[in-house]
Amino acid sequence: MKRVSLTIAASLALATSAPLAAQGQETEAAQDGLEQVMGAMSELFPTEPLSAEEQARLPQAERIIALVIPEGTMGDIMGKMIDDIVRPMMALAGSGAKAAVAEGMGVTPYELDLDEAQAAELATLFDPAYAERMERELDAFPQMMREMMTLMEPSLRKAMSEAYAIHFTSPELTEIEAFFETETGAKYARESFAMASDPRMMSASMEALPAMMQALGDIEARMKASTADLPPPRNFAELSQEERDAVTAATGFTEDEIWAALESADFSEEDLEAEAEAMEVSE
């Protein structure tokens, strides 16, 4: 939370201190960069245009999604989820008194052996307003998430409408719409999203977490084992001069620039060449 606040503060400080012309250039550059990133991300999930039949089913699918996700639903659900789930998790992660003490001491909350009363007493030494500060931040966070989800909702509704038009036939959509128009269907539509944030769901996730972490811990070893019979990737030093020339020609970087970039990553030209020589000897 504090990192977010500091980032926002730093951004505001830069914006107010920069000359207007430079400010405009920076904003435009940032916008261009964001658009490039978003464009690249969208290419990861290419979508085909709807067929004529799917397009014909779209209005019916849109009516169904309007029943499933009434306007404002996503924001309300996110606010409830923050209050019921994220707030306790943030407290567990050390967003309270112990975190204030740890920050003042330059350690992590997990290094402190303090009960709640001790932590609260010491926290007032570092930050007399820590309790009010945390409460205000926790109150502000759900509202920010509500706003974000409200902005996201139209795009989500559009995507879901198209998905329904693609995956269901007209007779199936008619049956689905008829169900959601019943009292039970309307209740299901209201409660289905909310049930995803039920504490029971979170509790079940927490119960499975140790097994999941154990499985994740084995991923690196399994990934290495899956590629153990493949030759290791080469670095720039291991390339022939002809291959280096191909890299510089394709990328526009000079060899000096590439060596400088590698050195900034704690690799010197000598280190890389020594590694290449060692590889040749071992082969």
Side-chain angles (χ1 to χ4, degrees):
M1 186 75 71
K2 182 173 181 182
R3 289 181 180 178
V4 174
S5 301
L6 289 175
T7 301
I8 295 173
S11 301
L12 290 174
L14 287 172
T16 53
S17 62
L20 290 178
Q23 201 179 120
Q25 293 172 357
E26 291 174 1
T27 302
E28 184 177 350
Q31 183 65 30
D32 290 343
L34 179 60
E35 289 177 357
Q36 291 177 9
V37 171
M38 292 298 100
M41 290 292 290
S42 64
E43 291 177 1
L44 296 176
F45 308 99
T47 57
E48 296 291 333
L50 297 181
S51 67
E53 291 183 358
E54 293 164 348
Q55 192 68 44
R57 293 196 292 265
L58 186 59
Q60 188 176 17
E62 289 174 339
R63 293 198 303 271
I64 293 172
I65 298 306
L67 295 171
V68 176
I69 312 178
E71 187 173 349
T73 297
M74 298 305 297
D76 290 342
I77 290 172
M78 180 55 65
K80 184 177 186 302
M81 187 180 296
I82 294 294
D83 288 335
D84 293 348
I85 297 175
V86 178
R87 182 184 288 256
M89 291 182 67
M90 290 178 67
L92 180 62
S95 300
K98 188 181 288 188
V101 176
E103 185 172 344
M105 295 173 60
V107 300
T108 67
Y110 304 104
E111 296 177 76
L112 298 177
D113 184 17
L114 300 173
D115 59 32
E116 292 184 10
Q118 291 172 318
E121 182 178 355
L122 293 178
T124 59
L125 299 178
F126 292 102
D127 182 8
Y130 89 88
E132 180 66 19
R133 189 186 318 281
M134 183 183 69
E135 193 62 29
R136 292 186 185 184
E137 288 180 344
L138 289 175
D139 286 343
F141 189 61
Q143 181 58 35
M144 290 188 291
M145 294 305 298
R146 283 190 184 95
E147 293 171 2
M148 290 174 59
M149 293 305 295
T150 299
L151 292 172
M152 177 183 173
E153 189 176 287
S155 296
L156 179 63
R157 185 181 287 111
K158 177 178 181 292
M160 290 187 66
S161 297
E162 292 179 351
Y164 271 54
I166 292 170
H167 292 283
F168 297 103
T169 65
S170 291
E172 289 170 341
L173 289 174
T174 298
E175 291 182 11
I176 293 170
E177 186 173 12
F179 168 68
F180 282 121
E181 287 176 341
T182 66
E183 184 176 345
T184 300
K187 181 176 181 180
Y188 174 80
R190 289 194 307 270
E191 299 294 337
S192 58
F193 279 98
M195 286 189 295
S197 63
D198 190 289
R200 291 173 179 79
M201 303 296 291
M202 289 303 300
S203 177
S205 299
M206 293 302 102
E207 288 177 7
L209 191 58
M212 293 170 60
M213 294 301 294
Q214 183 176 359
L216 287 173
D218 192 38
I219 284 180
E220 185 176 357
R222 292 172 63 182
M223 293 291 284
K224 287 183 178 180
S226 70
T227 60
D229 61 327
L230 299 178
R234 298 186 296 168
N235 57 50
F236 192 68
E238 296 173 83
L239 302 181
S240 67
Q241 188 58 53
E242 183 179 356
E243 291 169 331
R244 293 181 189 179
D245 291 341
V247 172
T248 56
T251 64
F253 285 88
T254 66
E255 284 200 29
D256 288 341
E257 289 172 333
I258 294 174
W259 289 123
L262 292 170
E263 288 173 1
S264 68
D266 296 329
F267 291 106
S268 68
E269 183 174 350
E270 292 76 13
D271 291 336
L272 291 168
E273 289 180 340
E275 181 182 341
E277 291 175 2
M279 292 288 293
E280 291 175 1
V281 171
S282 64
E283 292 174 355

